Amino acid sequence: MKRITLAFLSLLVAAAPAFAKVQVVSSLQDFSSIAQSVGGDRVETFALAKGYQDPHFVDAKPSFILKLSRADLLIVAGLELEIGYLPPLIDQARNDKIKPGSRGYLDASIGCDILQRPTTQVTRAMGDVHPYGNPHYWTDPNNGRVIAKSIAAKLSEIDPSGRTTYEKNLAAFEARLAEKDKEWLGKMAPYAGTKIVTFHDSWPNFAKHFKLEVAGHVEPKPGIPPSPSHTLEIINLIQAQKIPVILVEPYFDTKTPNSIAAKTGAAVVMFYPSVGGKSEIKDYFALFDYDIDAFVNSMKGKK
Ligand SMILES: [Zn+2]
């Protein structure tokens, strides 16, 4: 009997995790990917918005409340990217650890290079969903590095016994990012100064880092669908400035971009702003690998 009990107990011990993993919920798969790189086996990550969804407009699911109620850390893009769905979920989750201002709430924009910060007061009543600056800043690898550092510091604060692991993983992430960025910059170098049109204003940070020039958007304003008069302006702009590509995020209707392309000869390129936008975009590094290859391929024969 005693033997059986002991065997049973040892089975239980083997089955139980050595420690409870830090539960990390992010608004975006990009932050989950970086948190997973930095946190390794000490963390379990979950992203609310999937990479193929518009991060401004996410359908809140009841399962999100459960995830948030059990979270130790919540990572958000901030700058009101999540304003349309996240605040009521945080309220309903009743988890003091992750409320704004608490230790387990991380606004990933802090310390990042944020573009288009307004100089005058802007309100959402004007229809612009980027009232505090551009919230798509993770598309610059330099901001990815800042985000990784913020996540490592936050994880060390929440789970101090993992500090050495987080610091080691952060160093590995930074080293790989530096190496990959050299490769990406090399691939993009021949296209420095190329003008582009994008559907939504998702790419100012990407364009700055990789030296592209965003000349216009298919949307008249971020969050406002295309209008006939604005579409005509974009057609004229593409023709006048000989713009070779229109980049389209995967969650927009390609009807307008395709009609602009038919009239101008510009190529429509699906461009993914987030990890998980396509099954092969499995992590933060694959995001740049994929988009940069798509861009370079679209430019072949256009120079
Ligand atoms: Zn946006």
Side-chain angles (χ1 to χ4, degrees), residues 86-161:
L86 192 55
L89 295 179
I90 294 177
D91 280 347
Q92 289 170 69
R94 297 176 188 279
N95 177 358
D96 287 339
K97 283 194 277 188
I98 55 144
K99 288 192 171 152
S102 308
R103 196 174 68 161
Y105 180 90
L106 176 61
D107 178 336
S109 72
I110 293 167
C112 286
D113 179 25
I114 304 302
L115 304 175
Q116 306 166 348
R117 287 225 196 245
T119 47
T120 53
Q121 206 188 352
V122 186
T123 69
R124 283 171 70 88
M126 295 164 74
D128 187 335
V129 291
H130 297 169
Y132 294 115
N134 195 287
H136 304 276
Y137 53 85
W138 63 90
T139 57
D140 174 346
N142 287 333
N143 282 342
R145 184 176 300 113
V146 174
I147 295 165
K149 280 184 180 165
S150 302
I151 293 175
K154 194 47 102 176
L155 286 173
S156 297
E157 202 184 320
I158 292 170
D159 171 31
S161 51

Side-chain angles (χ1 to χ4, degrees), residues 42-251:
R42 297 187 73 91
V43 304
E44 201 164 275
T45 60
F46 178 80
L48 301 175
K50 303 299 179 254
Y52 48 83
Q53 295 174 318
D54 185 337
H56 286 285
F57 305 102
V58 177
D59 279 332
K61 292 188 194 155
S63 60
F64 291 175
I65 297 168
L66 188 66
K67 287 285 183 187
L68 288 166
S69 72
R70 293 173 179 170
D72 301 302
L73 173 59
L74 171 63
I75 308 172
V76 300
L79 302 168
E80 294 210 340
L81 182 69
E82 296 91 357
I83 193 86
Y85 72 98
L86 192 55
L89 295 179
I90 294 177
D91 280 347
Q92 289 170 69
R94 297 176 188 279
N95 177 358
D96 287 339
K97 283 194 277 188
I98 55 144
K99 288 192 171 152
S102 308
R103 196 174 68 161
Y105 180 90
L106 176 61
D107 178 336
S109 72
I110 293 167
C112 286
D113 179 25
I114 304 302
L115 304 175
Q116 306 166 348
R117 287 225 196 245
T119 47
T120 53
Q121 206 188 352
V122 186
T123 69
R124 283 171 70 88
M126 295 164 74
D128 187 335
V129 291
H130 297 169
Y132 294 115
N134 195 287
H136 304 276
Y137 53 85
W138 63 90
T139 57
D140 174 346
N142 287 333
N143 282 342
R145 184 176 300 113
V146 174
I147 295 165
K149 280 184 180 165
S150 302
I151 293 175
K154 194 47 102 176
L155 286 173
S156 297
E157 202 184 320
I158 292 170
D159 171 31
S161 51
R163 180 180 292 274
T164 328
T165 307
Y166 301 136
E167 283 172 358
K168 198 182 84 203
N169 291 348
L170 173 65
F173 179 88
E174 289 186 278
R176 178 145 184 242
L177 191 63
E179 192 183 306
K180 289 296 289 182
D181 194 28
K182 222 182 267 175
E183 177 193 322
W184 298 328
L185 287 167
K187 283 185 177 180
M188 292 298 283
Y191 309 104
T194 301
K195 287 182 179 170
I196 57 172
V197 163
T198 73
F199 195 107
H200 182 78
D201 192 4
S202 310
W203 304 101
N205 291 88
F206 182 92
K208 183 182 175 189
H209 187 74
F210 294 108
K211 300 187 169 54
L212 301 176
E213 195 184 313
V214 183
H217 306 103
V218 177
E219 287 181 332
K221 268 184 189 177
I224 305 291
S227 65
S229 62
H230 181 72
T231 298
L232 193 61
E233 277 172 34
I234 292 296
I235 290 169
N236 292 336
L237 178 85
I238 291 177
Q239 284 171 336
Q241 306 199 6
K242 300 187 170 49
I243 296 169
V245 288
I246 306 165
L247 305 182
V248 182
E249 297 83 352
Y251 32 82

